[in-house]
Amino acid sequence: MDFNDVSFGLADKADLAPLSGREVLERLIAGDLPAPPICETMNFMLTSVSGGEARFEGIPEFRHYNPLGTVHGGWAGAILDSALGCAVHTTLAPGEGYTTVEFKVNIVRPILETSGRLVCDGRVVHRGRRIATSEATLKDGEGRLLAHGTETCMIFSAPGQSSA
Amino acid sequence: MDFNDVSFGLADKADLAPLSGREVLERLIAGDLPAPPICETMNFMLTSVSGGEARFEGIPEFRHYNPLGTVHGGWAGAILDSALGCAVHTTLAPGEGYTTVEFKVNIVRPILETSGRLVCDGRVVHRGRRIATSEATLKDGEGRLLAHGTETCMIFSAPGQSSA
Amino acid sequence: MDFNDVSFGLADKADLAPLSGREVLERLIAGDLPAPPICETMNFMLTSVSGGEARFEGIPEFRHYNPLGTVHGGWAGAILDSALGCAVHTTLAPGEGYTTVEFKVNIVRPILETSGRLVCDGRVVHRGRRIATSEATLKDGEGRLLAHGTETCMIFSAPGQSSA
Amino acid sequence: MDFNDVSFGLADKADLAPLSGREVLERLIAGDLPAPPICETMNFMLTSVSGGEARFEGIPEFRHYNPLGTVHGGWAGAILDSALGCAVHTTLAPGEGYTTVEFKVNIVRPILETSGRLVCDGRVVHRGRRIATSEATLKDGEGRLLAHGTETCMIFSAPGQSSA
């Protein structure tokens, strides 16, 4: 990924407090907030959001390989979890927080370092008051499905991180 | 993790062909085979195997953080998927291969860079001729459960990687 | 459900052998094959299929209640599993069989005996040579989502039932 | 199942209010509360509980068959969901309620009407303040594993049923 202009780190929580979830993510895309460290480690980044949707793009590399000679399932899990969680994140009002309760991933084709730039689209399926669910796909540049998943998130009022 | 004596890379498939799955993993632990690249990226490693079981240990770091200020769910997913898959890997005869079909992860407590050295134990639940399932837990040094998961793998005769 | 013209039972496997999966399901809808016994027990039935898609409709009743005073999650699981599996079934060539490996269900709103006639739409997400995945939604007459799920099936050449 | 002495129906919520979850389930086993209607429809019943554990026993019948000539996956899903949910139910204090958020089921061997009396054991894996997770197995009389699953439940303070 072209991370030339990106700084990695964590935003100040006080800066985020007055913002909606979607506003936070839009500022992150614009580079007004630092990109989270996992993006550098996994070589993916958030590239667009709308109400209830989030897209990540990423390029898996040799450093993500498992002993079987393919990209580790955890890489697919990580980019899917990112899109699944951020899709829910776009629905949060200022002062609301969320945490991932569970996610499930199906890997349907092997992923290689030659797979190129992959696109991961997440979408909210259900937004309740306390529980939200989402689904996501991971596709290559030719639109072939490589993996897909679903996620359950818990919504809470206080913006801090919370134990489930 | 103390990776001082570890070289990262991929073993030659011809070297692996005559070995059982458990023998492959035992040689990997002994350092006779290179550790897969994902281990360096995620800072975890395989530390023990037996028939139907595999243990990984890992230390999550700031480079694995999500924008919420905790370790990304993908890190938990990756170490669980490793233990879940390697537990199945220990059951393979020479010439058998496997691929991960799906896995599900529950994250039950937040994981932080201060969580320390974590232990992830995978165990085969069912080993059929073509399908195997496994379960795993991720705990901290005080034995508190942080995450858990289950996985479905497909077994096939040829040792090569295969599209599901 | 209006089961007045429906006979319940199992078709003769010899009659099914020359048919594609979609042909089997179309004959089942037309009443040329007996409806499976579960349909009477759960009060749902297959109402339409196309390539990669299957729709069930059903009306949950008091006999499906759990001790909490709502329709048991198993009813939602059963109708979703039906739509998820039959969506895959529509893709089978003559001589191919399938079995459900796993399914996951999210229940997002309570289901009651007053919920009325519900519609469950299943759709294939991936059809590989040996593994297929599908997704399904369960909605009420006003289009509100009540539950959704995903499934993994294994495809095999012989038409008989097979242990995974 | 021998349901000779069992009456099916729903308990009065006012009678349940002062009881812990475990007390409710113990009275249900003792026959002091009516068995839920789903038990008659699916031919299974709760047979024992302890802190964090619940056992169901059931006998699948021809009326639970799918068109493939085996017991429908929804039957396995229903008995697993029962054991998974009741395991969490045993942990509730008076005034607490719960609802099933999601469950995942793996079916590892075909289930037939000749499979006999099956035992389904559920166990709490994590009990948080708002989220609990559980796991369960379904075995035949010879101890062979037929299916297994995991579940996520949401805990809430008010005893009434609640939309997620």
Side-chain angles (χ1 to χ4, degrees), chain B residues 101-102 104 126-133 152 154-157 162-164, chain C residues 101-102 104 126-133 152 154-157 162-164:
Chain B
V101 173
E102 63 82 32
K104 176 193 166 188
H126 172 75
R127 172 61 154 89
R129 193 162 59 86
R130 287 173 291 190
I131 295 288
T133 63
T152 306
M154 186 170 58
I155 312 293
F156 45 85
S157 302
S162 168
S163 166
Chain C
V101 173
E102 64 82 31
K104 176 193 165 188
H126 172 75
R127 173 59 154 90
R129 194 163 59 85
R130 287 173 290 189
I131 295 287
T133 63
T152 306
M154 185 171 56
I155 314 291
F156 45 85
S157 303
S162 167
S163 166

Side-chain angles (χ1 to χ4, degrees), chain C residues 38-103:
Chain C
I38 189 72
C39 289
E40 187 170 26
T41 302
M42 300 306 262
N43 205 41
F44 57 56
M45 59 192 304
L46 179 65
T47 57
S48 73
V49 289
S50 63
E53 295 183 335
R55 169 173 288 185
F56 277 75
E57 298 181 43
I59 304 175
E61 299 180 327
F62 185 66
R63 62 180 162 134
H64 304 119
Y65 264 44
N66 63 31
L68 305 177
T70 58
V71 171
H72 193 282
W75 190 88
I79 194 168
L80 285 163
D81 177 33
S82 293
L84 291 160
C86 286
V88 170
H89 199 160
T90 68
T91 70
L92 299 186
E96 284 186 320
Y98 83 103
T99 192
T100 298
V101 173
E102 64 82 31
F103 62 96

Side-chain angles (χ1 to χ4, degrees), chain D residues 9-145:
Chain D
L10 291 179
D12 189 322
K13 289 204 174 182
D15 291 344
L16 304 183
L19 303 178
S20 71
R22 183 172 170 176
E23 287 168 334
V24 168
L25 296 175
E26 286 172 341
R27 293 189 188 196
L28 203 152
I29 293 171
D32 298 334
L33 293 173
I38 190 72
C39 288
E40 186 169 27
T41 302
M42 300 305 262
N43 205 41
F44 58 55
M45 60 192 302
L46 180 64
T47 56
S48 73
V49 289
S50 63
E53 296 183 332
R55 169 174 287 185
F56 277 75
E57 298 180 43
I59 304 175
E61 300 181 326
F62 185 67
R63 62 181 161 132
H64 304 119
Y65 264 44
N66 63 31
L68 305 178
T70 58
V71 171
H72 193 283
W75 190 88
I79 193 168
L80 284 164
D81 178 33
S82 293
L84 291 159
C86 286
V88 171
H89 199 160
T90 67
T91 70
L92 300 185
E96 284 186 320
Y98 84 103
T99 192
T100 298
V101 172
E102 63 82 32
F103 62 96
K104 175 194 167 189
V105 169
N106 272 271
I107 299 174
V108 300
R109 287 192 178 89
I111 306 174
L112 303 170
E113 58 177 326
T114 54
S115 293
R117 190 181 185 96
L118 306 182
V119 176
C120 188
D121 281 310
R123 187 180 73 82
V124 169
V125 174
H126 172 75
R127 173 59 155 89
R129 195 163 59 85
R130 286 172 292 188
I131 296 287
T133 63
S134 52
E135 64 183 12
T137 58
L138 178 65
K139 296 182 178 177
D140 68 14
E142 296 171 13
R144 294 193 317 157
L145 186 70

Side-chain angles (χ1 to χ4, degrees), chain A residues 101-102 126 128-131 152 154 156 162-164, chain D residues 101-102 126 128-131 152 154 156 162-164:
Chain A
V101 173
E102 62 82 32
H126 172 75
R129 194 162 60 82
R130 287 172 290 189
I131 296 287
T152 306
M154 186 171 56
F156 44 85
S162 168
S163 167
Chain D
V101 172
E102 63 82 32
H126 172 75
R129 195 163 59 85
R130 286 172 292 188
I131 296 287
T152 306
M154 185 171 57
F156 44 85
S162 167
S163 167

